Amino acid sequence: MKVGLILYSVREEMAKDPIATVEKVGQLGYKFVETCNHNAIEDPGCGFGIPAEQLKETFDRFGSKVISTHIFPLEKADLAEVVKYNHVVGNTNLVNPMGQFSTYDDLMQQCEDLNRIGKQLHEEGITFLYHNHEFEYRTIKGKMIMDYLLENTDPDYLSFELDTFWTMRAALDPIAVIKRFGKRIRLVHQKDFAWDSLQAINLIGLTPEDREMKPGEVVGMNGNSSYAKNGGKHQMSEDEAAEEYRRLRMTSFTEIGSGIMPIQKIIEAANTYTSAEYIILEQDFTRLPTQIDSIAKSMEEFKKFTGIEWN
């Protein structure tokens, strides 16, 4: 697999100066980039108001290219404009970065929607993928949401961008999931878990009762969330418990390759069992001075692994 970087890792820098940030990413030597648009209600492109031609020209100067993009909220985006933008930048992978789930009937409707969107994109030469968090490993009627997505969507119309970090945080072995999902995995997301995290690895429990969705319970986010309506920006909660949870959650991330995840084994399994051409580094939070410092350290740390290419 080739190593890529999602620009979510430098979202604060992108918000200040997107072109300068893209240039810094290129200067560091990241050749394969996944853009991250969490402002798709307003912007069908990369989320920071950059025209497609300008974005492509900037990447071209450093010999880099866009290999994928996250679009959120997908259901409220202008899909035709999204496709047009990505054709210009030369990208052929479009990712739904998260969904919202509640009931079995709602989940089945979402599978139909994913198939419909995937068929539209397939006809445009674009691969459609779903990116997981930990909550897709919750169960409805005793079966994981991820398994419903796998079994009720057409392989021609929906693939998966497996996030191994969130898979592990759902108390599952990412290597076993890689083997089970196999060729449906077309991209891999790689974070790392901090050895000194103040938050436990397991976020959803172990017993069937813990993992089962309760009546009225909702997990995930869609276009009706305040996050989506605010263009991908979280509002600070007035709830002290909620803010404390966010603070603890932030401590669980570390630069990729410096934590406790079995990354070499993940790479080997992905190379063996999946169709993934890229393993994409993603840093949600850092304790370093800047997000640029963070992605530079992740690159340095990640170069110790084998079975990957950078160019």
Side-chain angles (χ1 to χ4, degrees):
M1 292 181 296
K2 296 176 175 64
V3 180
L5 176 78
I6 184 170
L7 293 182
Y8 184 74
S9 306
V10 288
R11 60 196 179 278
E12 293 174 6
E13 305 293 332
M14 289 288 291
K16 296 173 190 173
D17 191 334
I19 292 298
T21 302
V22 168
E23 289 174 343
K24 289 176 184 176
V25 168
Q27 288 165 353
L28 282 173
Y30 282 103
K31 300 299 184 184
F32 308 104
V33 178
E34 183 174 55
T35 60
C36 186
N37 180 358
H38 285 189
N39 188 30
I41 294 175
E42 302 292 337
D43 180 358
C46 69
F48 295 90
I50 307 173
E53 295 81 0
Q54 186 181 11
L55 184 66
K56 185 176 188 305
E57 186 276 329
T58 305
F59 279 120
D60 285 349
R61 279 192 280 121
F62 295 96
S64 302
K65 65 177 182 178
V66 178
I67 51 90
S68 179
T69 187
H70 280 204
I71 299 291
F72 180 82
L74 183 67
E75 76 278 9
K76 291 186 180 291
D78 185 332
L79 196 60
E81 290 299 314
V82 169
V83 168
K84 186 185 302 183
Y85 188 99
N86 282 278
H87 278 330
V88 172
V89 300
N91 172 46
T92 59
N93 291 304
L94 193 153
V95 182
N96 181 359
M98 68 180 125
Q100 185 177 86
F101 305 98
S102 54
T103 66
Y104 173 83
D105 289 342
D106 174 69
L107 177 54
M108 291 299 100
Q109 180 60 56
Q110 289 196 57
C111 289
E112 288 185 23
D113 293 340
L114 291 170
N115 275 325
R116 173 179 50 79
I117 294 169
K119 184 174 187 294
Q120 289 177 253
L121 294 172
H122 181 77
E123 292 168 354
E124 294 284 351
I126 294 176
T127 298
F128 185 39
L129 304 97
Y130 184 86
H131 168 277
N132 65 283
H133 289 78
E134 83 281 0
F135 52 79
E136 288 90 352
Y137 293 101
R138 297 286 301 278
T139 63
I140 296 175
K141 297 184 177 181
K143 180 184 286 190
M144 291 188 297
I145 293 169
M146 279 288 278
D147 284 335
Y148 284 114
L149 295 176
L150 179 72
E151 296 168 10
N152 293 277
T153 56
D154 189 322
D156 288 335
Y157 301 147
L158 186 73
S159 298
F160 290 88
E161 179 177 65
L162 187 76
D163 191 303
T164 62
F165 176 90
W166 294 122
T167 298
M168 182 189 73
R169 301 210 65 189
L172 291 171
D173 176 4
I175 295 163
V177 174
I178 285 171
K179 292 178 180 179
R180 184 152 60 88
F181 276 60
K183 299 299 183 182
R184 290 292 292 275
I185 299 171
R186 297 286 294 271
L187 297 171
V188 175
H189 255 208
Q190 190 62 54
K191 305 179 181 66
D192 212 345
F193 190 82
W195 66 270
D196 58 351
S197 171
L198 296 176
Q199 189 179 54
I201 291 177
N202 183 353
L203 291 173
I204 68 172
L206 285 173
T207 69
E209 293 76 19
D210 288 339
R211 303 174 77 88
E212 179 73 8
M213 293 279 290
K214 310 300 186 292
E217 188 175 8
V218 178
V219 295
M221 285 193 291
N222 61 17
N224 296 319
S225 64
S226 61
Y227 177 78
K229 292 175 181 177
N230 288 329
K233 297 181 179 66
H234 284 291
Q235 288 183 315
M236 295 296 289
S237 171
E238 294 182 1
D239 185 334
E240 291 184 6
E243 287 308 313
E244 176 66 2
Y245 176 84
R246 281 176 57 81
R247 185 185 72 82
L248 294 178
R249 187 180 179 96
M250 289 168 65
T251 69
S252 64
F253 299 90
T254 190
E255 277 56 48
I256 305 149
S258 61
I260 67 171
M261 289 194 70
I263 293 177
Q264 185 62 61
K265 291 181 179 179
I266 288 169
I267 292 169
E268 292 166 3
N271 280 330
T272 301
Y273 297 101
T274 79
S275 300
E277 187 177 355
Y278 300 98
I279 182 166
I280 300 170
L281 308 189
E282 180 178 31
Q283 186 73 27
D284 284 30
F285 300 99
T286 181
R287 305 176 203 176
L288 297 182
T290 72
Q291 291 179 338
I292 298 297
D293 293 329
S294 177
I295 65 169
K297 183 176 181 185
S298 286
M299 173 178 273
E300 177 187 344
E301 294 283 351
F302 215 76
K303 285 184 174 178
K304 67 189 175 190
F305 298 118
T306 60
I308 53 174
E309 296 178 354
W310 292 86
N311 296 299

